[in-house]
Structures are given as C-alpha cells and as structure tokens.
Amino acid sequence: MISLHGLRKTFGELEVLRGIDLAVHPGQHVVLLGPSGSGKSTVLRSINLLERPTAGSLVVDGREYATPRPGATEPAGSPLQLRRTVGMVFQQFNLFPHLTALDNVALPLRSVRGLKRKDADEQAALELRRVGLLPRAGHYPAQLSGGQQQRVAIARALALDPKVMLFDEPTSALDPELVGEVLRTMRLVAETGMTMVVVTHEIGFAREIGDLNVFLEDGRIVETGGRGFYDECRSQRARDFLQAVK
C-alpha cells in the first residue's frame, strides 16, 4: 500500500530524513517510535505530501508521488490525488470553529467528493455515529471536549473513505483522562482492517495494534520488529527509549 525507498527530506542545511526505506502492506498497522526530532512526524507529512520529499521514492497504492524514475510512463501524482487515498489526523484537531461537528465532517464531502449538501450531511451523520458523537452533531468545537474534537477529526478523515489513515500523535494535546476515548476510537478503526501508520508515545496502545514497529533516531530507521518488538528489540538505544516512556 505504501512504499518508501531512499526517502530524504532537508530543510535548508538540516537533513531531517536520511534515506528511509519502509513498506506498509494493506491492512497493516505500523507504529513509528522514537525521540523528539527523530523524523517520525516528517515521515507522516511526507507520505501525504504536506512535506515534499527532497529525494527518494514515495509510492502509494501503486502510484509514484515523489520523483518518477527514469523511463516512467506517468508523471508523479498530485497532492489532491494522494489525499483522496490517504487520510490524516493531527496532534491539533484543526476543526473550523465556526462550523458544527456535522458541518466539519460534511465540508470535505462537498468540496472534495462533490456531494450535495443533503447527501454530505447524511454521510457525516453516519461517520459521527461511528465515533459515538451523533448526539453532538450540532455542537461547535468550543462546546466539545478535546477528546470529542479529536474524534470529530477522525470522523472527518474517515468520511472520505481513505485506504490509509495516518495518525500523528493524536492524543498528545489531550488531558490524560481524555486519551482513552480517542484510543478506543482508533482501536475501532484498526478493527475494520484499515491500513494505519501511527506516531504515538502510548506504548500500551502501540503494543496492542503494532503489526510492524519502527524505531527512528536522527532521521534513520534504527530497528524494526513485529509483535515481540517491545520485549525483544536488539538496539540499546531503542531499549532505553522504551524504558523511559513506559
């Protein structure tokens, strides 16, 4: 579903990603771990072209979105094409404060999918029910808790029927007592078989869903592993990190 090969990203003279190779298979749940500044969020932002890779290959659902290889018969895909396939949930909720929960979810259905208002509202209501927030459909973001706002953001991303969901530390801006409701919603998404790439420091949750666990440091992948990664990783740096964030 996603293939990164030799992916690099620089900001001026600062090289943030130093040749990332990563394959994400359909239905797989991938967890990106590592200290602050290791490049986790930049990997996610590169996957949906919020950051344009400086070099390397980015293939999503069979289409190249970075630099086409010599002899390629098609140009690189556009960000709009990519975002019809890839949904993303951010640390901050990024809801429109002047729109209700229903309208926040319905807006991209009208603007991206071209649905009529009635059809968009009906689909948005279904997505809010999916995340347990249909009773809050008429509430504005300021009337919702942080956890509820993040669940609206998840519903908005799911409404476009993506093939991949990216989560960039979706609980980091929440009070501790609100984290659980967002993680429960993410578990429900995972149980549908959705392909997911998640940046999180919630190690218990990572242990639960991580089919592939990837530890990054200094813009490089240090170690990867499956379900036993948290108890069997070989890298001392990865072991120290996991011990520190338990």
Side-chain angles (χ1 to χ4, degrees):
M1 184 60 72
I2 301 172
S3 177
L4 311 180
H5 182 69
L7 200 73
R8 295 180 177 272
K9 178 63 183 178
T10 60
F11 296 95
E13 297 182 356
L14 177 63
E15 189 171 29
V16 178
L17 300 181
R18 302 168 182 256
I20 299 294
D21 295 327
L22 180 65
V24 180
H25 301 291
Q28 194 172 35
H29 306 142
V30 177
V31 177
L32 304 184
L33 302 157
S36 297
S38 60
K40 307 182 300 296
S41 292
T42 305
V43 170
L44 284 194
R45 293 173 67 85
S46 296
I47 289 174
N48 79 342
L49 294 184
L50 283 173
E51 302 292 351
R52 279 278 186 181
T54 305
S57 173
L58 164 63
V59 176
V60 178
D61 198 23
R63 178 147 196 177
E64 176 66 67
Y65 286 94
T67 305
R69 296 181 181 182
T73 59
E74 292 184 346
S78 71
L80 180 58
Q81 290 171 316
L82 180 63
R83 291 167 196 160
R84 288 172 175 159
T85 300
V86 179
M88 186 161 181
V89 177
F90 300 86
Q91 297 178 31
Q92 303 299 326
F93 322 124
N94 295 331
L95 300 180
F96 291 105
H98 63 291
L99 298 180
T100 64
L102 184 76
D103 287 337
N104 264 285
V105 178
L107 179 61
L109 288 168
R110 299 200 306 268
S111 60
V112 176
R113 295 292 188 199
L115 296 188
K116 294 181 179 179
R117 178 177 289 276
K118 179 177 180 295
D119 294 334
D121 287 351
E122 288 177 355
Q123 183 63 39
L126 289 174
E127 296 301 337
L128 287 175
R129 178 182 288 116
R130 186 175 175 180
V131 300
L133 285 177
L134 186 57
R136 300 288 189 271
H139 287 59
Y140 291 90
Q143 299 171 308
L144 301 172
S145 70
Q148 290 170 337
Q149 290 183 62
Q150 191 62 291
R151 286 154 64 196
V152 172
I154 293 172
R156 179 178 58 187
L158 291 172
L160 293 177
D161 195 24
K163 294 183 178 180
V164 178
M165 284 284 287
L166 310 178
F167 294 88
D168 188 6
E169 297 194 52
T171 61
S172 65
L174 300 177
D175 292 332
E177 65 268 23
L178 301 178
V179 168
E181 65 184 76
V182 173
L183 295 182
R184 282 192 294 273
T185 301
M186 292 174 65
R187 287 188 188 96
L188 292 175
V189 175
E191 289 168 3
T192 68
M194 174 70 71
T195 306
M196 296 168 58
V197 184
V198 181
V199 173
T200 184
H201 290 306
E202 299 290 338
I203 298 302
F205 178 71
R207 279 178 174 269
E208 183 179 337
I209 72 156
D211 300 317
L212 176 65
N213 302 277
V214 181
F215 181 79
L216 295 95
E217 187 173 39
D218 197 25
R220 296 184 175 91
I221 293 177
V222 174
E223 186 172 353
T224 65
R227 292 285 178 173
F229 175 80
Y230 298 90
D231 301 312
E232 301 169 1
C233 59
R234 298 179 301 276
S235 163
Q236 184 62 50
R237 182 67 186 93
R239 291 198 298 269
D240 291 344
F241 173 81
L242 293 173
Q243 183 63 38
V245 298
K246 279 183 178 179

